[in-house]
Amino acid sequence: MDMREKRSVENLVLAIVRTELANRRTLLSYLNTAIALFVSGAGLLKLSGSNWLEMIGIVLMPVSVVVAVIGVVDYRILRRSIEAEKARAAAEEADV
């Protein structure tokens, strides 16, 4: 393996690591949003005196669960894709 091929493999490995870290950050952002929505909904339920604010609070709480589920599903799908790319890169490296 010459120096150019070795550097190409190193760049691919670093790109995969960056993608994994970005995927984790995205999951944490989804979860952060879900928690904020849930807390906002609970706060509106407890602190509001008007019916329409309570209705908004009732809507925000299930929406927060949906956002959390979407985040976890998105994370798992992308993680599988990253693992498949790692396996493909390892197979290509073994062939070289």
Side-chain angles (χ1 to χ4, degrees), residues 13-31:
V13 169
L14 289 175
I16 291 172
V17 169
R18 281 191 304 267
T19 304
E20 287 175 337
L21 292 173
N23 192 28
R24 290 179 188 170
R25 278 193 311 270
T26 303
L27 173 63
L28 291 175
S29 294
Y30 271 109
L31 295 178

Side-chain angles (χ1 to χ4, degrees), residues 4-77:
R4 189 179 317 161
E5 289 174 346
K6 183 177 180 182
R7 187 159 179 97
S8 176
V9 169
E10 289 173 357
N11 287 339
L12 179 62
V13 169
L14 289 175
I16 291 172
V17 169
R18 281 191 304 267
T19 304
E20 287 175 337
L21 292 173
N23 192 28
R24 290 179 188 170
R25 278 193 311 270
T26 303
L27 173 63
L28 291 175
S29 294
Y30 271 109
L31 295 178
N32 188 25
T33 302
I35 291 169
L37 287 170
F38 190 86
V39 168
S40 297
L44 285 174
L45 281 175
K46 289 289 184 183
L47 301 176
S48 71
S50 93
N51 288 337
W52 68 275
L53 286 176
E54 288 181 3
M55 291 303 290
I56 292 173
I58 290 170
V59 169
L60 285 178
M61 293 175 81
V63 167
S64 70
V65 174
V66 171
V67 169
V69 168
I70 290 171
V72 169
V73 168
D74 182 53
Y75 172 78
R76 292 181 62 134
I77 289 171

